[in-house]
Amino acid sequence: MNFVSRKLMQSWAGLGPRFLPFADAATPELPLGRLLRLSLFQVTVGMALVLLVGTLNRVMIVELAVPASIVSIMISLPLIFAPFRAMIGFRSDIHQSVLGWRRVPFIFRGTLLQFGGLAIMPFALLVLSGGGESARYPIWVGQIGAGISFLLVGAGLHTVQTIGLALATDLSKPETQPKVVGLMYVMLLFGMIVSAFAFGAALAEFSPLRLVQVIQACALITLVLNSVAAWKQEGRNATRRHMSQSQTTFRQSWLSFAQGGQAMRRLLVVCTGTMGFSMADVLLEPYGGQILQLSVGATTSLTATLAVGGLCGLGLASRVLGRGADPFKMASYGVMIGIPAFMAVIAAAPYQAAEYFALGTFLIGFGAGLFGHGTLTATMNRAPQDQIGLALGAWGASQALAAGLAIAFGGILRDLVALMPASGRFGPAFSYMSVYTVEILLLAFTLALMLPLLRKAVPLSEPIPSNVPAQITAPSA
């Protein structure tokens, strides 16, 4: 019996590394339990993104009757802080702490910003709507309060995500970083999916009191999960208590980081590739409903199809990159998959083929997963030891800004094309096809930009040594 039990336990333990591509990201120095606990910060980021972009978008327009223009402005406010992610990462790289920490203080600062924004948000929205008890206050008070709350949440989630990824890079070994990246991405998607279902169930019967309860519950969950994520993750380094002030300014550090051109090319690849995959985010469901006559349930399932494709892409990328593959080559595969994926979505309209649409949607998620994983892994592996926060902040700023601008531009382009005379001749599908065509062109341009990076890429099996002086390693970042 003992022999059988021992064999069963050995088989069960082997299931993780064999079938779960992120289980073998753990090392003796960074056990799986500690790694999963650290990844909880991605759950709160995903929850905040769903709340801002999804749930409140609908609630403000439909239930609270807030003008759509004001809603769009409010939702775009968190993007204001996206360019500051590089500065936040740089500050964490050189941070002095009496307790000997670099990253943890910034995680708690970001958490408090998220908590504060979510705490005042529901009351500001009720005043903004101008109804009920909130009628005693002028609407401009609600506009200011809602704007401040969205800014605080945006600043908090950008800070937490940037520093959390930097801390994960600090704690993981170069050979396990691809799997760590995959796990972080999966936890972000997990937080978004679970939050979307939870918000939908909680607000099925809407009331102002229920809105207050849901948003403030998010504030409490954010505080608890981020605190658990950061607990005992970063070791206390006594030398940081007495470090002299860094003589390197952010401008000097950024110029060092950007020197040589390859760093800026990589950031441009992130921008164009993210825009190529993101412009259709808000158009896929309307396309399926208006052009292919799909039901609400069918188009909603396509969102799940996109997420499943992304999870499959992350799983494959984690497994392949963990074996030493070039991350930029993996990102290029994602771009090459994205181009025919959008072609399949376009072809669904003239053939009225929902199966083409479903296949294209899955491949868009799959390609985006490969691309995002590849670019983030390359950033983590090629960042100099003293510029990890700066490098990850620059990646995050490029990705967030590109995604936000792409979503806005996609909607605007679709509306502008719909007003053109040619749209009347070719039908309503023409406006959607125009956006998908632009995405194909952006992905093709991204692939062209990546060619020099593929020729000069540094293999993951030969990571940049951490003991090389910053002035030597920075140009190759």
Side-chain angles (χ1 to χ4, degrees), residues 87-88 148 171 174 212 260 265 270 285 350 363 417 419 423 440:
M87 171 65 80
I88 293 169
I148 292 174
L171 297 177
V212 173
R265 178 181 289 271
V270 172
E285 288 196 33
L363 292 178
V417 174
L419 297 175
S423 182
I440 292 174

Side-chain angles (χ1 to χ4, degrees), residues 33-48 104 107-108 110-112 114-115 118 160 164 167 184 187-188 190-192 194-195 198-199 216-233:
R34 183 181 175 188
L35 185 58
L36 288 172
R37 184 163 57 83
L38 174 62
S39 67
L40 290 177
F41 77 88
Q42 285 283 66
V43 175
T44 65
V45 171
M47 180 174 63
V104 170
I107 292 178
F108 280 113
T111 300
L112 292 178
Q114 283 182 274
F115 180 84
L118 292 171
V160 168
L167 180 57
M184 296 299 165
M187 293 301 286
L188 177 65
F190 175 79
M192 296 178 70
V194 172
S195 300
F199 293 153
Q216 291 194 333
C218 291
L220 181 60
I221 292 172
T222 297
L223 184 63
V224 172
L225 291 186
N226 285 353
S227 299
V228 172
W231 181 256
K232 291 187 176 181
Q233 293 286 5

Side-chain angles (χ1 to χ4, degrees), residues 19-333:
F19 294 104
L20 298 178
F22 315 112
D24 52 355
T27 61
E29 298 80 11
L30 186 62
L32 185 59
R34 183 181 175 188
L35 185 58
L36 288 172
R37 184 163 57 83
L38 174 62
S39 67
L40 290 177
F41 77 88
Q42 285 283 66
V43 175
T44 65
V45 171
M47 180 174 63
L49 290 174
V50 170
L51 181 67
L52 297 181
V53 179
T55 304
L56 290 181
N57 183 19
R58 179 255 163 81
V59 167
M60 291 170 69
I61 293 176
V62 179
E63 278 78 11
L64 299 181
V66 178
S69 58
I70 295 179
V71 174
S72 61
I73 293 173
M74 293 294 176
I75 293 177
S76 65
L77 285 177
L79 288 177
I80 293 177
F81 283 93
F84 294 100
R85 291 179 66 143
M87 171 65 80
I88 293 169
F90 167 74
R91 296 302 304 174
S92 72
D93 288 334
I94 64 171
H95 182 64
Q96 298 181 46
S97 173
V98 175
L99 297 176
W101 286 329
R102 282 196 306 171
R103 314 294 187 190
V104 170
F106 286 86
I107 292 178
F108 280 113
R109 290 174 188 175
T111 300
L112 292 178
L113 288 173
Q114 283 182 274
F115 180 84
L118 292 171
I120 67 175
M121 183 180 292
F123 305 107
L125 294 180
L126 295 178
V127 175
L128 177 63
S129 66
E133 293 295 324
S134 62
R136 70 182 68 174
Y137 302 103
I139 293 180
W140 63 265
V141 174
Q143 293 174 343
I144 295 176
I148 292 174
S149 66
F150 275 80
L151 283 172
L152 289 175
V153 173
L157 70 89
H158 284 305
T159 301
V160 168
Q161 189 175 48
T162 299
I163 305 305
L165 291 174
L167 180 57
T169 305
D170 292 339
L171 297 177
S172 58
K173 294 182 177 180
E175 59 269 19
T176 62
Q177 285 176 357
K179 300 182 180 64
V180 172
V181 171
L183 177 61
M184 296 299 165
Y185 255 113
V186 167
M187 293 301 286
L188 177 65
L189 292 175
F190 175 79
M192 296 178 70
I193 294 171
V194 172
S195 300
F197 284 114
F199 293 153
L203 295 173
E205 298 181 3
F206 178 82
S207 69
L209 177 60
R210 181 62 61 87
L211 178 66
V212 173
Q213 291 172 337
V214 168
I215 298 180
Q216 291 194 333
C218 291
L220 181 60
I221 292 172
T222 297
L223 184 63
V224 172
L225 291 186
N226 285 353
S227 299
V228 172
W231 181 256
K232 291 187 176 181
Q233 293 286 5
E234 185 178 23
R236 296 174 60 182
N237 189 341
T239 60
R240 297 194 188 112
R241 305 178 189 177
H242 311 292
M243 286 193 315
S244 60
Q245 282 286 349
S246 174
Q247 297 180 356
T248 303
T249 64
F250 173 74
R251 182 176 181 274
Q252 293 171 334
S253 184
W254 176 259
L255 291 176
S256 176
F257 173 78
Q259 185 178 347
Q262 293 303 305
M264 302 310 297
R265 178 181 289 271
R266 287 197 292 268
L267 293 180
L268 184 58
V269 164
V270 172
C271 287
T272 57
T274 302
M275 291 187 71
F277 280 110
S278 302
M279 285 179 64
D281 281 358
V282 297
L283 298 178
L284 287 176
E285 288 196 33
Y287 179 76
Q290 182 180 359
I291 307 303
L292 302 179
Q293 308 302 317
L294 299 178
S295 65
V296 175
T299 57
T300 303
S301 66
L302 287 171
T303 303
T305 302
L306 188 70
V308 170
L311 287 174
C312 292
L314 293 173
L316 177 62
S318 295
R319 181 173 294 274
V320 175
L321 292 177
R323 297 172 180 171
D326 173 29
F328 275 111
K329 187 172 292 185
M330 179 62 64
S332 69
Y333 292 154

